[in-house]
Amino acid sequence: YFKLKEFIRENIEKNAWDGSWYRRAYFDNGTPLGSVENDECQIDAISQSWAVISGAAKESRAREAVDALERNLIREDKGVMLLEPGYIKGYIPGVRENGGQYTHAAIWSVLALAKICHNDRAYKAFSMINPINHTKTYLNCEIYKVEPYVMSADVYAIDSQMGRGGWSWYTGAAGWMYRTGIETILGLKLNENYGFTISPCIPTSWKGYTIKYTRGECIYNIKVERDSKKGIWLDGNMIHNKVVPFLNGGEHEVKVNI
């Protein structure tokens, strides 16, 4: 499997790089999809984000690809993050995979931004796709038209319906949104059955945050702060391997300086 993985990685780098981003695929006749050569669908969000998430891309190319994703597909003024234009034309223009916000792909874009330590940009993108931020005013609600407390599978990007949500209560993007917020931005990750780590990717405007994490009979009061003396402490004792162990019970204080 390791040999096969390396074979795939080498061939992606050799054949999928388009000059400023990664291509999506090739047609049977060898024509690329997701290339500057295309009239439509010149850049695909998933190819760029997974170049980072997979860890397979060269670092320089990964960063360039994510920059291209931001430049071409994030519509900050409209509050949408596009998948790509013209990919599946079975949908009307501006909907889902035909130039709309396909929320699965949007969240992977946030995850990629965080993984290359673009913390401010990642949090801004996360906030853009957070449904509560689409319903802050009556006018916002009239545009979004779906629930503010669940993820929508897509958000329309056609002018006449710009910002309207679709397919709520349906998408697996909800799980990815939760994981990206908890595991990536707040940095709380479980380490199998041994314990958990805290490695945040928070925006520079945050001074810190707290988490109350309950596992079985055990409660962890986690406090994360910015401090020049970096480290993790459990009940006043420094944890040198940075993994907070799972304990059988009681209430415990976890201090994290970043």
Side-chain angles (χ1 to χ4, degrees):
Y1 287 111
F2 285 110
K3 286 184 179 179
L4 180 59
K5 181 182 74 171
E6 186 61 18
F7 173 79
I8 293 170
R9 189 196 65 77
E10 287 178 356
N11 278 279
I12 287 173
E13 291 289 5
K14 187 186 299 182
N15 300 299
W17 183 247
D18 197 58
S20 294
W21 57 77
Y22 287 95
R23 297 169 175 174
R24 172 67 183 254
Y26 286 89
F27 293 99
D28 289 342
N29 66 0
T31 303
L33 178 65
S35 167
V36 72
E37 299 175 22
N38 303 129
D39 294 330
E40 296 181 286
C41 193
Q42 291 186 337
I43 178 171
D44 173 85
I46 295 174
S47 301
Q48 317 322 316
S49 58
W50 276 94
V52 176
I53 296 168
S54 67
K58 295 179 181 178
E59 183 178 353
S60 59
R61 284 185 172 181
R63 291 182 177 276
E64 187 175 356
V66 170
D67 286 344
L69 184 160
E70 281 194 284
R71 188 169 60 251
N72 291 282
L73 297 176
I74 295 181
R75 302 287 188 267
E76 193 173 331
D77 59 327
K78 304 296 184 183
V80 295
M81 298 174 62
L82 307 183
L83 174 63
E84 74 286 274
Y87 177 49
I88 298 181
K89 292 186 178 179
Y91 295 111
I92 62 174
V95 175
R96 294 180 66 77
E97 293 101 324
N98 193 5
Q101 175 181 293
Y102 189 60
T103 308
H104 256 104
I107 295 169
W108 290 331
S109 299
V110 176
L111 184 55
L113 284 166
K115 280 186 172 291
I116 60 175
C117 299
H118 290 337
N119 296 6
D120 288 339
R121 290 151 67 181
Y123 183 69
K124 181 181 287 187
F126 182 87
S127 299
M128 280 177 58
I129 58 178
N130 186 341
I132 199 68
N133 291 328
H134 288 267
T135 55
K136 287 185 172 181
T137 67
Y138 177 79
L139 179 59
N140 291 156
C141 294
E142 286 295 294
I143 293 171
Y144 193 53
K145 294 185 184 296
V146 291
E147 303 88 348
Y149 41 81
V150 294
M151 296 300 295
S152 291
D154 59 288
V155 178
Y156 300 173
I158 191 170
D159 287 342
S160 62
Q161 300 288 339
M162 180 66 72
R164 178 174 180 168
W167 291 28
S168 60
W169 291 104
Y170 175 81
T171 177
W176 278 103
M177 183 73 167
Y178 185 82
R179 288 192 62 182
T180 299
I182 299 296
E183 296 182 357
T184 305
I185 294 177
L186 298 182
L188 173 60
K189 294 182 181 179
L190 304 186
N191 189 338
E192 298 181 349
N193 294 318
Y194 179 73
F196 63 89
T197 60
I198 302 285
S199 183
C201 293
I202 58 173
T204 53
S205 59
W206 287 20
K207 294 181 180 180
Y209 60 92
T210 60
I211 299 175
K212 185 174 183 178
Y213 172 45
T214 302
R215 184 179 187 273
E217 300 297 319
C218 192
I219 298 174
Y220 297 91
N221 297 312
I222 304 167
K223 187 174 184 179
V224 179
E225 291 181 313
R226 297 189 185 277
D227 196 295
S228 58
K229 185 181 179 182
K230 304 184 187 305
I232 300 178
W233 291 262
L234 173 62
D235 294 331
N237 299 309
M238 190 171 194
I239 299 176
H240 295 285
N241 66 357
K242 298 184 179 180
V243 179
V244 180
F246 289 138
L247 303 173
N248 293 326
E251 191 163 349
H252 303 274
E253 304 300 316
V254 178
K255 178 182 177 183
V256 183
N257 288 349
I258 60 174

